[in-house]
Amino acid sequence: MASKAALAATLRDESMNPRALRRSGFIPAVIYGPGYETRHLQINTHTLDMLFGKTGLDMELNLEIEGVGTEAVVVKELQRDPVTSVLVHVDFLRQA
């Protein structure tokens, strides 16, 4: 069985402006699922681009959240800027 790709993330202060977060090199993200507390995250833009360039989007990932632990997730939705196609937000769905 092939191992899942790993992606590092940190918890994000919800009061931080997402535009400022993107300017500092991070993409805002959220992880949710049935019976699971929604968590707001930030992920390094370069790391995320590299991962999606290698693996694509249709795979399960190990999301390593600093200070929380590792969660098995899939990408539920990617939001891109309609003009520039730059990634602006990622939704992850927790796998049971």
Side-chain angles (χ1 to χ4, degrees), residues 3-9 29-34 36-41 43 48 51-52 55-65 68-78 90-96:
S3 62
K4 299 175 192 172
L7 180 62
V30 66
I31 179 176
Y32 55 87
Y36 181 77
E37 176 187 343
T38 300
R39 294 202 170 134
H40 299 271
L41 309 170
I43 301 170
L48 199 58
L51 177 71
F52 289 159
T55 64
L57 302 175
D58 297 331
M59 69 174 300
E60 198 169 310
L61 302 169
N62 281 329
L63 188 61
E64 299 168 354
I65 305 169
V68 176
T70 302
E71 297 286 346
V73 299
V74 293
V75 175
K76 179 69 175 174
E77 181 181 4
L78 287 178
V90 181
D91 287 5
F92 293 103
L93 179 62
R94 182 176 181 260
Q95 298 298 292

Side-chain angles (χ1 to χ4, degrees), residues 5-21:
L7 180 62
T10 55
L11 293 174
R12 169 174 63 97
D13 180 9
E14 294 178 55
S15 66
M16 186 169 185
N17 183 336
R19 185 174 289 164
L21 187 67

